Amino acid sequence: MIKNQRVTKNHLYSQSSGNIVSDMDGEKVMLSVHKGKYYNLGELGGEIWDLIKEPVTIHELVATLQSQYDVAQTECEEQVTDFINQLLEQGLVKIEDRINS
C-alpha cells in the first residue's frame, strides 16, 4: 500500500484487487477482504468505482462525470480528487505512471 501519495493528473488509477462490491438501493458498498472493513461508496462514489475498473486518469474521470452531471469542472475535479485520495489512503486503488505515447 502506498502511503502519503497524492493524486496527480499524471497517473492512472484503477481498483485494487481483493474487494467485494454490492449494490444496495442504488449505493455501492464494499468489503475489503484484506482489511476486513466495510465501506459505503455511495451513489457517485460507486459510479467512480465502476469507472476505475480499467486504469484511468483524473481528467478522464472528470470528463465522463461532467458528461453525465451538471457540475463545474473545478468542483468535479476537487470532488474526484478527494474521493480518489480517500481510496488511496485505504489501499483500495492502485497508481500507475501514465504512459506517454
Side-chain angles (χ1 to χ4, degrees):
M1 178 169 40
I2 300 168
K3 286 279 189 194
N4 301 323
Q5 186 133 10
R6 301 302 291 171
V7 172
T8 72
K9 293 181 183 176
N10 298 325
H11 290 108
L12 296 167
Y13 300 92
S14 62
Q15 299 174 356
S16 293
S17 59
N19 301 302
I20 300 168
V21 180
S22 294
D23 198 337
M24 294 183 67
D25 295 326
E27 293 191 357
K28 289 218 184 317
V29 293
M30 176 177 16
L31 170 65
S32 170
V33 176
H34 301 299
K35 292 184 167 264
K37 288 175 74 173
Y38 278 99
Y39 301 90
N40 183 347
L41 300 178
E43 188 176 336
L44 188 55
E47 197 161 327
I48 293 170
W49 181 257
D50 287 343
L51 292 171
I52 62 173
K53 281 183 181 163
E54 299 296 324
V56 65
T57 64
I58 295 296
H59 177 74
E60 291 166 328
L61 283 173
V62 168
T64 300
L65 292 170
Q66 277 194 283
S67 73
Q68 297 171 4
Y69 298 96
D70 182 19
V71 61
Q73 182 173 348
T74 306
E75 182 183 346
C76 190
E77 260 179 31
E78 287 173 6
Q79 298 285 332
V80 169
T81 300
D82 287 347
F83 183 71
I84 296 292
N85 268 325
Q86 290 173 23
L87 295 178
L88 263 178
E89 287 169 10
Q90 296 298 319
L92 302 173
V93 295
K94 301 182 288 192
I95 300 177
E96 300 173 32
D97 284 326
R98 187 176 185 157
I99 299 169
N100 294 324
S101 46

